[in-house]
């Protein structure tokens, strides 16, 4: 008995039952892959590549999923390790000095990456996110290492005019800076110190308050007597 084949129309209709999307072979007989722009095979999304609404692996992006999606605005994503005191913040942004968040992660030297962060230099934090101190080689104009005033130089180096309190050494700064100064009572001097930082004494060559003359000596055999004060 010879086989009886179904009609052509019936054969096509039966075959069409197996040509569907979602089984690995699309209705167009193409392999179904993540990135083809068609959501199938358990995909959550498929934007034909990374997009603001879809990851490269065809999952919906979410900060904390461990997948960096730059199109969605992420700079990093360390998954469960995201935190505002880590390298990657809770908002999937790089934790950098100056953002106001203190990154306590350990650096290559074993020390914290940041010790403080006040979005710039302040009285309690340097611009490089370290704790300020005179001698740290960072000039912080908001930090006062002593009662002499804010930092003007760092590190202290008398040969280069930087005092032990990180202030510029010059006559009139209100601080007696050796060598060369005998005293310092400010830019105009004071009751005990001249404007050029010398003690107010007869014989210093400067006509100080109360003196009529001063010829750099205290002899009484010239035109300026030691009693002319």
């Amino acid at each position: 008995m010879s086989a009886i084949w179904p009609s052509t129309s019936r054969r096509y209709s039966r075959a069409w039952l197996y040509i569907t999307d979602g089984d690995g072979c699309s209705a167009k007989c193409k392999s179904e892959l993540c990135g083809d722009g068609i959501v199938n095979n358990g995909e959550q999304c498929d934007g034909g590549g990374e997009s603001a609404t879809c990851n490269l692996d065809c999952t919906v992006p979410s900060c904390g999923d461990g997948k960096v999606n730059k199109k969605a605005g992420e700079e990093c994503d360390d998954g469960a390790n995201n935190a505002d005191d880590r390298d990657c913040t809770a908002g999937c942004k790089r934790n950098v000095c100056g953002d106001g968040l203190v990154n306590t992660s350990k650096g290559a030297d074993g020390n914290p990456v940041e010790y403080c962060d006040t979005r710039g230099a302040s009285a309690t934090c340097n611009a490089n996110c370290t704790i300020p101190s005179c001698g740290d080689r960072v000039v912080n104009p908001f930090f006062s290492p002593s009662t002499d005033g804010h930092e003007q130089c760092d590190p202290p180096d008398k040969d280069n005019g930087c005092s032990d309190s990180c202030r510029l050494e010059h006559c009139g700064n209100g601080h007696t800076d050796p060598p060369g100064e005998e005293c310092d009572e400010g830019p105009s001097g004071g009751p005990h110190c001249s404007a050029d930082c010398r003690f107010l004494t007869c014989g210093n060559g400067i006509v100080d308050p109360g003196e009529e003359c001063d010829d750099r000596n205290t002899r009484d055999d010239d035109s300026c007597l030691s009693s002319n004060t």
Side-chain angles (χ1 to χ4, degrees), residues 29-48:
C29 292
K30 300 291 184 181
S31 296
E32 295 176 331
L33 302 172
C34 175
D36 60 10
I38 302 172
V39 179
N40 48 45
N41 280 342
E43 297 173 347
Q44 297 177 358
C45 57
D46 196 322

Side-chain angles (χ1 to χ4, degrees), residues 49-50 64 90 92 128 133 145 147 151 155 160 167 173 179 195 210 225-227:
E50 183 179 271
C92 287
N128 65 352
S133 66
T147 56
E151 269 192 340
N160 291 318
R167 299 278 294 176
N173 65 2
L225 304 178
S226 61
S227 59

Side-chain angles (χ1 to χ4, degrees), residues 2-222:
S2 60
I4 300 175
W5 293 94
S7 66
T8 301
S9 61
R10 289 183 63 193
R11 277 187 283 144
Y12 282 138
S13 64
R14 288 180 180 178
W16 189 256
L17 294 176
Y18 300 98
I19 304 175
T20 58
D21 290 327
D23 61 357
C25 185
S26 72
K28 296 181 180 180
C29 292
K30 300 291 184 181
S31 296
E32 295 176 331
L33 302 172
C34 175
D36 60 10
I38 302 172
V39 179
N40 48 45
N41 280 342
E43 297 173 347
Q44 297 177 358
C45 57
D46 196 322
E50 183 179 271
S51 69
T53 57
C54 196
N55 289 325
L56 280 173
D57 64 354
C58 293
T59 57
V60 175
S62 174
C63 179
D65 61 9
K67 305 164 187 176
V68 181
N69 187 326
K70 294 183 178 180
K71 295 290 182 64
E74 294 181 346
E75 297 177 357
C76 56
D77 196 325
D78 291 337
N81 290 322
N82 289 348
D84 287 343
D85 61 350
R86 301 287 184 86
D87 290 331
C88 191
T89 69
C92 287
K93 301 295 183 182
R94 289 290 180 192
N95 195 334
V96 296
C97 179
D99 61 7
L101 302 174
V102 181
N103 185 354
T104 59
S105 300
K106 302 296 184 182
D109 58 0
N111 295 318
V113 175
E114 296 176 358
Y115 289 89
C116 56
D117 196 322
T118 54
R119 299 183 185 275
S122 69
T124 58
C125 191
N126 287 327
N128 65 352
C129 294
T130 57
I131 302 298
S133 66
C134 180
D136 61 7
R137 296 182 178 274
V138 179
V139 179
N140 185 335
F142 302 98
F143 170 60
S144 298
S146 70
T147 56
D148 293 336
H150 295 154
E151 269 192 340
Q152 295 177 327
C153 54
D154 204 320
D157 186 346
K158 294 187 182 300
D159 291 335
N160 291 318
C162 190
S163 71
D164 290 337
S165 58
C166 287
R167 299 278 294 176
L168 292 174
E169 295 181 335
H170 62 86
C171 179
N173 65 2
H175 185 272
T176 303
D177 301 314
E181 292 185 359
E182 297 177 353
C183 55
D184 196 321
E185 294 183 345
S188 300
H192 308 291
C193 191
S194 67
D196 68 345
C197 296
R198 302 289 180 184
F199 285 120
L200 296 178
T201 58
C202 178
N204 64 3
I206 300 171
V207 180
D208 299 315
E211 292 183 347
E212 297 177 359
C213 59
D214 197 315
D215 57 1
R216 294 186 180 277
N217 66 68
T218 56
R219 291 161 36 199
D220 289 333
D221 58 353
D222 54 19

